[in-house]
């Protein structure tokens, strides 16, 4: 594996030659057992086979995350205290607060969509920041329930979508700026700062490093040799806390979560979710995602018609974002996930690293498809002028949100280690 402290300086460590105080670790993506060197501040260790980051040592590992997370929470409080965005149309004015994004949907009998939006942009991000503070301070004061909090933190991390909500705000402004006067309140700027601090907080924490501080890594009860897969040496990885566990053990000694050598029925779950996403994707594009009432006239908009409207208005960048996030990305993600499932059934050859990188890419990009749903939630909250002009969510918004959630669950249920299980002995040599 390699340890890097700057783009120009790279030091390689051979998996068969352990360094002093080296720890044996399993890669969560390719299941290669290797020695983790003793890292210095600012260094990262990557898997030699798939290049996945195994560990990192951040400067001031307790102070910086606590300050970033605490500042982020303070900015979230400010984002909920003051007016968020104001909209003026023909002498009429509408004003929204950040929390209104969920409450307006709830009062308009879109409770499921309201709860989903509230979880994605408020509850989950706030919990993640509070959890980081609790865990880092818990290293100093031995606070209770740290193991449980850490398990929930890394489980909820992919569902924090404040960055996607910010993109949705920008798209909404582009749609409205030609026909309305937009004013940005103090809470909007506080939310922008919150997004930056939220992203930065996750950048300065590392899963392996955090768990190593919470509890010592258990020692494998079987002999192990670096450079081979964990499965062939009767070892398995705890996906929650990165501990190496003997194959005979059912639960992780460190975080107490159930441990499997491979995700149970991974392909079956993934394929079932992908089929469900395919079935829902058709009505998600045919049903109206948004309904606009203007002077008593009702106009229903689908995802495709929203793209066409932006293109006709020559808002080409926004039109392309809508097309990519809401049409191209879901289709490509579904097709790629089907392809990855197929690759697990054929001899590995040289596909392992490329397919793993493709999997990581679609797993990260897929969540951005939620931007269209958040745009609808923003417009439904902001454009409230009775018969003059009002926007309401359509049933297609909820169906499309279900497609995005299901494809994310499909990516989570897929076990990328299956892509490496059929590597030949020759291909395993590094």
């Amino acid at each position: 594996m390699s340890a890097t402290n700057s783009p120009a300086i790279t030091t390689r460590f051979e998996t068969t030659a352990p360094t002093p105080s080296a720890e044996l670790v399993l890669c969560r993506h390719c299941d290669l057992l290797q020695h983790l060197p003793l890292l210095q501040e600012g260094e990262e260790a990557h898997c030699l086979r798939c290049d996945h980051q195994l560990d990192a040592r951040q400067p001031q590992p307790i102070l910086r995350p606590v300050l970033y997370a605490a500042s982020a929470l303070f900015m979230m409080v400010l984002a909920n205290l003051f007016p968020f965005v104001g909209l003026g149309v023909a002498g009429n004015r509408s004003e929204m607060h950040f929390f209104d994004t969920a409450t307006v949907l709830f009062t308009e009998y879109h409770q499921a969509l309201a709860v989903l939006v509230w979880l994605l942009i408020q509850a989950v991000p706030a919990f993640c920041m509070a959890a980081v503070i609790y865990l880092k301070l818990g290293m100093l004061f031995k606070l209770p329930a740290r193991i449980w909090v850490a398990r929930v933190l890394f489980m909820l991390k992919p569902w924090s979508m404040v960055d996607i909500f910010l993109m949705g705000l920008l798209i909404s402004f582009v749609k409205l700026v030609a026909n309305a006067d937009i004013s940005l309140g103090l809470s909007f700027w506080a939310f922008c700062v919150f997004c930056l601090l939220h992203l930065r907080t996750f950048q300065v924490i590392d899963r392996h490093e955090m768990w190593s501080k919470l509890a010592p890594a258990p020692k494998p009860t079987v002999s192990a040799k670096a450079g081979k897969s964990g499965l062939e040496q009767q070892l398995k990885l705890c996906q929650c806390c990165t501990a190496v566990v003997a194959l005979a053990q059912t639960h992780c000694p460190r975080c107490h979560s159930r441990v499997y050598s491979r995700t149970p029925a991974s392909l079956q779950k993934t394929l079932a979710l992908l089929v469900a996403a395919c079935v829902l994707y058709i009505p998600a594009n045919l049903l109206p995602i948004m309904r606009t009432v203007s002077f008593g006239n009702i106009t229903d908009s689908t995802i495709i018609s929203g793209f066409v409207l932006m293109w006709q208005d020559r808002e080409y960048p926004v039109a392309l974002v809508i097309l990519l996030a809401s049409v191209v990305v879901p289709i490509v993600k579904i097709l790629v996930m089907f392809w990855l499932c197929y690759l697990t059934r054929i001899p590995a050859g040289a596909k392992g690293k490329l397919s793993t990188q493709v999997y990581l890419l679609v797993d990260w990009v897929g969540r951005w498809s939620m931007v269209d749903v958040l745009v609808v939630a923003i417009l439904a909250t902001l454009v409230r002028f009775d018969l003059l002009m009002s926007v309401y969510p359509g049933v297609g918004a909820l169906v499309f949100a279900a497609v995005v959630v299901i494809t994310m669950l499909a990516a989570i249920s897929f076990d990328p280690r299956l892509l490496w299980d059929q590597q030949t002995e020759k291909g395993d040599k590094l």
Side-chain angles (χ1 to χ4, degrees):
M1 81 197 57
S2 61
T4 308
N5 54 12
S6 75
I9 302 175
T10 302
T11 304
R12 282 210 169 264
F13 297 87
E14 296 299 329
T15 58
T16 55
T19 58
S21 303
E23 173 191 354
L24 278 173
V25 294
L26 276 171
C27 177
R28 63 187 296 112
H29 290 305
C30 71
D31 198 41
L32 180 68
L33 188 69
Q34 48 206 299
H35 288 286
L36 182 67
L38 186 62
L39 299 179
Q40 302 299 318
E41 184 178 286
E43 291 184 337
E44 297 178 354
H46 292 257
C47 175
L48 271 176
R49 186 156 67 172
C50 70
D51 202 37
H52 169 67
Q53 180 178 302
L54 299 173
D55 195 9
R57 287 295 178 268
Q58 299 289 341
Q60 299 175 319
I62 295 180
L63 179 62
R64 293 174 74 209
V66 168
L67 290 180
Y68 283 132
S71 301
L73 283 178
F74 177 70
M75 288 299 163
M76 173 165 269
V77 172
L78 293 182
N80 283 277
L81 288 180
F82 304 101
F84 197 75
V85 179
L87 186 68
V89 177
N92 296 280
R93 188 156 190 84
S94 173
E95 193 173 72
M96 69 171 279
H97 287 70
F98 184 39
F99 195 70
D100 292 341
T101 312
T103 57
V104 170
L105 293 176
F106 199 88
T107 57
E108 292 294 338
Y109 306 105
H110 292 275
Q111 288 88 349
L113 191 60
V115 171
L116 178 65
V117 170
W118 176 73
L119 288 173
L120 296 181
I121 68 174
Q122 289 222 9
V124 172
F127 174 85
C128 289
M129 295 299 98
V132 170
I133 297 174
Y134 187 86
L135 291 172
K136 290 297 181 178
L137 292 180
M139 296 175 186
L140 299 176
F141 303 107
K142 306 299 181 183
L143 299 177
R146 289 176 295 156
I147 300 297
W148 180 86
V149 173
R151 289 176 61 179
V152 177
L153 169 64
F154 291 107
M155 180 181 67
L156 292 180
K157 179 184 173 182
W159 302 96
S160 181
M161 298 190 180
V162 291
D163 48 347
I164 301 175
F165 183 75
L166 183 58
M167 176 63 72
L169 282 170
L170 300 179
I171 294 175
S172 302
F173 294 162
V174 173
K175 287 188 173 185
L176 297 171
V177 70
N179 303 309
D181 296 325
I182 300 174
S183 59
L184 304 178
L186 177 62
S187 286
F188 172 81
W189 300 110
F191 178 76
C192 292
V193 177
F194 168 75
C195 288
L196 296 175
L197 292 170
H198 175 272
L199 294 174
R200 184 59 180 158
T201 300
F202 280 120
Q203 288 177 348
V204 298
I205 62 173
D206 177 78
R207 182 192 294 246
H208 186 85
E209 184 270 339
M210 178 176 283
W211 276 106
S212 66
K213 295 294 193 301
L214 290 174
K219 299 294 183 181
T221 56
V222 297
S223 59
K225 182 180 179 181
K228 295 184 177 181
S229 70
L231 190 61
E232 63 181 315
Q233 300 186 79
Q234 301 298 301
L235 294 172
K236 54 186 177 180
L237 174 73
C238 176
Q239 293 284 340
C240 177
C241 72
T242 73
V244 178
V245 182
L247 196 63
Q249 294 179 274
T250 59
H251 289 78
C252 175
R254 178 156 65 178
C255 68
H256 313 300
S257 58
R258 193 167 181 85
V259 185
Y260 301 94
S261 58
R262 297 293 180 265
T263 303
S266 172
L267 291 180
Q268 293 88 333
K269 293 176 185 176
T270 303
L271 290 172
L273 290 168
L274 291 175
V275 171
C278 290
V279 172
L280 290 176
Y281 185 75
I282 297 174
N285 282 273
L286 296 178
L287 294 173
I289 196 172
M290 183 172 64
R291 171 166 291 182
T292 304
V293 178
S294 180
F295 297 105
N297 297 318
I298 299 176
T299 304
D300 289 332
S301 302
T302 62
I303 294 173
I304 298 298
S305 65
F307 159 74
V308 172
L309 180 61
M310 288 291 99
W311 191 268
Q312 291 175 344
D313 291 341
R314 298 187 177 182
E315 299 291 348
Y316 301 126
V318 176
L320 290 176
V321 169
I322 294 174
L323 179 66
L324 289 174
S326 302
V327 179
V328 176
V329 168
I331 294 177
V332 171
K333 182 173 183 178
I334 290 173
L335 293 177
V336 169
M337 290 304 301
F338 274 123
W339 174 67
L340 291 174
C341 290
Y342 166 73
L343 287 183
T344 63
R345 314 307 300 172
I346 65 175
K351 69 176 173 57
K353 184 173 182 179
L354 174 62
S355 56
T356 300
Q357 292 173 341
V358 170
Y359 164 74
L360 293 175
L361 178 62
V362 297
D363 183 35
W364 176 81
V365 171
R367 59 196 291 273
W368 284 90
S369 298
M370 194 63 75
V371 67
D372 229 4
V373 177
L374 296 178
V375 167
V376 172
I378 294 165
L379 293 177
T381 306
L382 193 56
V383 184
R384 312 292 296 172
F385 299 107
D386 298 325
L387 291 179
L388 177 63
M389 181 182 290
S390 294
V391 172
Y392 302 92
V395 66
L398 182 60
V399 179
F400 186 75
V403 172
V404 178
V405 171
I406 289 173
T407 54
M408 290 182 65
L409 292 175
I412 292 173
S413 65
F414 180 78
D415 194 334
R417 293 171 296 181
L418 297 174
L419 297 168
W420 296 88
D421 280 348
Q422 298 185 55
Q423 287 281 26
T424 62
E425 184 67 21
K426 181 179 178 180
D428 278 340
K429 293 180 181 179
L430 300 174

